[in-house]
Amino acid sequence: MSGPAGTCRALAVCTATAFALAAAVAAHAEGPEVGGSVPSVLSLSLSQPSGFTAAGGGRKGPHGRLYVATIGLSVTSTEMPTQLSITDGEALRGGRGRLLKGNRSLSPPLEAAAGHGPYHSLDSGVGLQLRQWSEPIANQTASIHLRQAYRGSADSLSRFHKLLLVTVTAGGP
């Protein structure tokens, strides 16, 4: 099959094989889609809060020295947006947003901030949004800083308490 007719037959076989291979590749590419569902994940891990320490070199303001404590946290969320909020868990007991010792509450109220953000008073009746993420996050670390003005020492401030609810919500307010 070495003449022009043999070459044509060999080309025809090669062309037919090439078309068959191209069709198989196209059929494979158009085959079933690969995919699946990924479950939504929303998690919050909190560290043990630090004790209150004097802030700003222990300078006194109109309500006493400022003391600061920190709560470390880690957030994972596959949904967006994700909000970090804090609220007074003892609001119905009285002393909204204030540290308590027995029936006594401190004035002014406890304040909270996320990271280097501004401080906000915890004496409002609703959860205080501290931070928001607009993208999915995995083990994103952050911190909540609590600030209290107090005329006594850090040791006597440690005798006061407050139940705080720290939450993350995803997908909307």
Side-chain angles (χ1 to χ4, degrees), residues 24-156:
V25 169
H28 180 69
E30 295 172 6
E33 293 182 26
V34 175
S37 61
V38 176
S40 293
V41 175
L42 183 63
S43 74
L44 170 66
S45 299
L46 300 171
S47 70
Q48 188 70 11
S50 70
F52 280 101
T53 58
R59 292 176 296 189
K60 288 188 178 183
H63 297 285
R65 286 186 175 90
L66 285 179
Y67 292 93
V68 178
T70 302
I71 304 170
L73 58 99
S74 176
V75 178
T76 297
S77 178
T78 57
E79 302 294 324
M80 30 186 196
T82 301
Q83 295 91 18
L84 172 68
S85 302
I86 189 168
T87 193
D88 182 348
E90 300 173 308
L92 298 177
R93 186 175 163 198
R96 183 184 307 257
R98 289 167 168 73
L99 291 176
L100 303 169
K101 181 170 117 180
N103 291 331
R104 183 175 169 217
S105 65
L106 292 180
S107 183
L110 186 62
E111 298 175 315
H116 299 291
Y119 281 92
H120 300 280
S121 173
L122 288 173
D123 63 350
S124 68
V126 296
L128 177 63
Q129 183 177 323
L130 296 176
R131 183 160 181 195
Q132 180 171 322
W133 293 273
S134 58
E135 298 294 325
I137 51 176
N139 296 319
Q140 178 73 49
T141 59
S143 58
I144 296 174
H145 302 288
L146 303 172
R147 182 170 73 180
Q148 179 67 56
Y150 183 61
R151 291 199 170 111
S153 67
D155 186 49
S156 63

Side-chain angles (χ1 to χ4, degrees), residues 10-33:
L11 284 177
V13 170
C14 289
T15 305
T17 303
F19 281 131
L21 286 174
V25 169
H28 180 69
E30 295 172 6
E33 293 182 26

